[in-house]
Amino acid sequence: MKEDFLWGGATAANQCEGSCTAGGRGLANVDLLPAGKDRMAVMTGHKKMFAFDKDHDYPAKTAIEMYQYYKEDIRMFAQMGFKVYRMSIAWSRIFPGGDEESPNEEGLAYYEDVFRECRKYQIEPLVTITHFDCPMHLVKEYGGWRNRKMLTFYERLCRTLFTRYKEYVHYWITFNEINMILHAPFMAAGICFEEGEDEKQITYQAAHHELLASAIAVKLAKEINPENQIGCMLAAGQAYPYSCRPEDVWAGVEMDRKSYLFIDVQAYGAYPAYGLKMMEREGVKLRIEEGDLELLRDHTVDFISFSYYNSMCASADPDLNAKIKGNIFDSLENPYLPSSEWGWQIDPLGLRITLNVLYDRYRKPLFVSENGLGAVDVPDKNGYVEDDYRIDYMRAHIREMKKAVDEDGVDLMGYTSWGCIDLVSASSGEMRKRYGFIYVDKQDDGTGTLKRTPKKSFYWYQKVIESNGEIL
Ligand code: BGP
């Protein structure tokens, strides 16, 4: 790997910070995702949850309280040798309602402290401007990203961040997993649907707004500091045809294109022909205003970051498709692959394939900004976990990632494993789905001391980083 390869870990504000009203923070959509059976309906915008109620638990309210523990946590990241820490800003700490003219100084000061702490250990922050979060006031007043006014508020947020953190942060990601808007519109874009609304029209229009906002962010980032590197982010994972039947191969192409559509715009600066045709077929009529296409064209991203957990399978057979069980991403089970305890299929070679496909397509530097294994950990009485299964998963993935770089020539900037410290799961809201190198004593029922303890994988990853990926 390159000498300056950025090894590290990734988190998102709403899944780790907690303290959801501290320091003047406003409520956000992500705070209101309940644990349990209603979570999916809320995430997808089909059940309104605009205030906490007594029948549900809301894990993001306290999460792992990184808001209070950040110094200890960053010190532990430094101990592992992190070169980079991918984290996100909670929008509603900076603009509690989202549409204020001026920012909340307490929120700004908080992240300044976090960045200082990173710099103290020569850790480069990689900041996701929005990792699914949208202030609730913007949801209630404007309908989230369905409303074009969001561009103004997002621009204000970006200007504030790029200016205030100019000396601390040079790597930015505009939207986490931008294609997630298709699968979880409330979680990803603060959108709730009313009975009878045209969901596709609203979702693609909102995506257009996000794409414009992303281009505005690129423009501003460069104006404020030409050294800024700004990327997009895709929930990736190659779609394999379920068989070599041409119809299945075509189903795979179509499945991938649903996601690439967004990255194609961010990387090439224009909607791809297949995307325009697809929207036409689906009856989606994008409202494109004067100047929009130029904005997209002139402000493309510097790098492409992506999450990779698993590959997917696509089939043209309606009987097979009927068996798909609803996870966030629908996919058929691949009979050649094992699965995690949550049914996510484990496919290390799929990472090499995905890296190659993305590099062939975009020819821009790539960044693996999420990868990891969600598993149940059983700590001993000291809180220590022997997580060999996690080490095996990561070793196999890093090995394939190295092949993509060394043998295939992919230009890769860095690797940040997901949930480097245990945190709340986005899809399930559980604490027991753990990804971390660091065990956090926090349980699904809200109990726990919040004590942090390195797992076996902590010491393993330390060696990986120290040897620049040579010792796996
Ligand atoms: C990605 C999200 C993360 C994260 C991860 C793991 O989609 O960007 O926020 O949570 O997936 O998923 P989960 O937490 O559902 O296991």
Side-chain angles (χ1 to χ4, degrees):
M1 309 303 275
K2 294 192 271 204
E3 271 299 296
D4 57 353
F5 189 76
L6 293 167
W7 293 99
T11 62
N14 75 88
Q15 292 171 256
C16 64
E17 280 179 5
S19 289
C20 79
T21 53
R25 182 183 181 282
L27 279 189
N29 57 340
V30 281
D31 301 326
L32 291 155
L33 301 176
K37 64 170 182 29
D38 288 334
R39 188 174 181 87
M40 197 54 74
V42 176
M43 275 167 53
T44 55
H46 295 110
K47 182 179 172 62
K48 259 191 196 152
M49 184 70 76
F50 282 6
F52 296 126
D53 69 27
K54 56 177 182 12
D55 303 323
H56 295 91
D57 288 328
Y58 301 89
K61 267 178 154 176
T62 52
I64 58 157
E65 279 303 340
M66 200 194 247
Y67 185 74
Q68 299 173 49
Y69 283 75
Y70 68 95
K71 288 199 173 151
E72 182 178 331
D73 295 342
I74 294 170
R75 184 171 48 74
M76 291 176 90
F77 299 159
Q79 241 178 299
M80 270 186 276
F82 278 22
K83 313 276 186 221
V84 64
Y85 170 40
R86 174 177 177 233
M87 53 172 280
S88 77
I89 295 278
W91 188 343
S92 61
R93 282 198 196 285
I94 311 291
F95 290 96
D99 60 356
E100 296 88 345
E101 291 287 333
S102 46
N104 168 31
E105 176 52 34
E106 234 181 307
L108 280 173
Y110 169 69
Y111 289 113
E112 189 169 329
D113 267 2
V114 172
F115 299 142
R116 278 221 188 99
E117 210 54 29
C118 290
R119 290 272 167 219
K120 187 165 123 191
Y121 302 105
Q122 284 95 46
I123 296 175
E124 192 75 51
L126 163 60
V127 175
T128 316
I129 298 167
T130 45
H131 193 120
F132 298 152
D133 60 323
C134 176
M136 263 325 274
H137 173 71
L138 297 184
V139 172
K140 291 192 225 166
E141 282 300 306
Y142 303 91
W145 280 97
R146 66 163 77 205
N147 193 324
R148 196 176 163 107
K149 291 201 180 108
M150 290 293 281
L151 297 184
T152 312
F153 310 136
Y154 186 84
E155 178 170 0
R156 205 174 290 154
L157 172 70
C158 289
R159 188 181 296 283
T160 306
L161 300 179
F162 298 153
T163 310
R164 175 69 175 246
Y165 303 130
K166 191 172 169 187
E167 62 176 298
Y168 301 108
V169 185
H170 306 121
Y171 292 94
W172 303 90
I173 290 173
T174 55
F175 287 88
N176 181 61
E177 299 189 330
I178 193 159
N179 50 323
M180 193 61 90
I181 194 171
L182 300 180
H183 309 277
F186 179 71
M187 178 175 77
I191 297 170
C192 256
F193 299 112
E194 303 297 335
E195 196 69 38
E197 276 191 323
D198 183 342
E199 297 191 5
K200 280 212 171 104
Q201 173 65 35
I202 291 166
T203 307
Y204 281 100
Q205 188 62 43
H208 180 62
H209 297 152
E210 289 196 347
L211 290 167
L212 292 171
S214 178
I216 290 172
V218 174
K219 179 171 183 280
L220 273 181
K222 297 289 179 188
E223 276 169 17
I224 294 172
N225 184 358
E227 275 178 34
N228 275 328
Q229 289 290 301
I230 186 151
C232 56
M233 158 77 176
L234 166 76
Q238 190 62 28
Y240 300 154
Y242 197 68
S243 78
C244 51
R245 210 161 63 104
E247 287 80 359
D248 285 352
V249 177
W250 183 244
V253 170
E254 291 209 300
M255 186 186 255
D256 276 336
R257 281 180 162 183
K258 275 196 184 131
S259 301
Y260 291 152
L261 169 58
F262 307 103
I263 306 301
D264 284 356
V265 177
Q266 290 171 300
Y268 295 132
Y271 279 97
Y274 71 81
L276 295 172
K277 288 285 181 196
M278 186 265 291
M279 286 190 267
E280 198 181 305
R281 263 195 320 275
E282 309 259 0
V284 172
K285 288 196 182 64
L286 280 191
R287 281 187 308 279
I288 297 181
E289 292 192 6
E290 211 189 314
D292 283 6
L293 297 179
E294 290 74 15
L295 186 69
L296 296 176
R297 183 195 64 204
D298 295 341
H299 306 288
T300 54
V301 290
D302 297 312
F303 65 92
I304 317 285
S305 78
F306 66 96
S307 59
Y308 176 83
Y309 293 93
N310 49 257
S311 51
M312 292 179 287
C313 276
S315 163
D317 178 346
D319 292 341
L320 266 179
N321 284 331
K323 289 190 204 139
I324 294 174
K325 54 177 177 348
N327 197 340
I328 293 194
F329 281 94
D330 297 339
S331 168
L332 285 167
E333 192 165 327
N334 184 331
Y336 300 101
L337 297 174
S339 297
S340 78
E341 288 161 289
W342 271 263
W344 295 23
Q345 294 205 282
I346 301 175
D347 179 14
L349 179 54
L351 175 56
R352 181 176 180 180
I353 295 170
T354 302
L355 278 158
N356 274 279
V357 170
L358 291 177
Y359 193 58
D360 287 352
R361 192 175 184 103
Y362 299 117
R363 302 214 180 167
K364 293 205 182 209
L366 302 181
F367 201 119
V368 181
S369 51
E370 289 184 28
N371 171 239
L373 177 72
V376 174
D377 288 334
V378 183
D380 68 13
K381 63 178 184 341
N382 301 314
Y384 179 72
V385 180
E386 295 235 10
D387 53 346
D388 291 289
Y389 38 91
R390 184 167 293 109
I391 296 173
D392 290 345
Y393 176 100
M394 293 190 63
R395 179 188 292 123
H397 283 76
I398 293 176
R399 211 169 257 158
E400 294 301 328
M401 176 177 89
K402 283 186 63 188
K403 284 188 201 156
V405 173
D406 299 339
E407 295 176 32
D408 310 327
V410 168
D411 181 2
L412 186 63
M413 298 163 68
Y415 173 88
T416 49
S417 74
W418 175 250
C420 45
I421 180 166
D422 291 348
L423 39 63
V424 176
S425 153
S427 58
S428 74
E430 292 162 304
M431 262 315 297
R432 61 191 279 276
K433 188 178 188 190
R434 296 172 185 273
Y435 285 87
F437 303 116
I438 300 166
Y439 183 80
V440 180
D441 180 19
K442 171 83 188 276
Q443 312 306 325
D444 280 337
D445 61 3
T447 59
T449 61
L450 294 176
K451 183 169 176 263
R452 277 70 166 145
T453 312
K455 302 179 194 174
K456 188 173 179 180
S457 55
F458 180 102
Y459 302 102
W460 172 80
Y461 198 46
Q462 195 175 47
K463 285 214 183 68
V464 173
I465 299 179
E466 209 180 4
S467 65
N468 197 18
E470 287 306 306
I471 302 175
L472 289 172

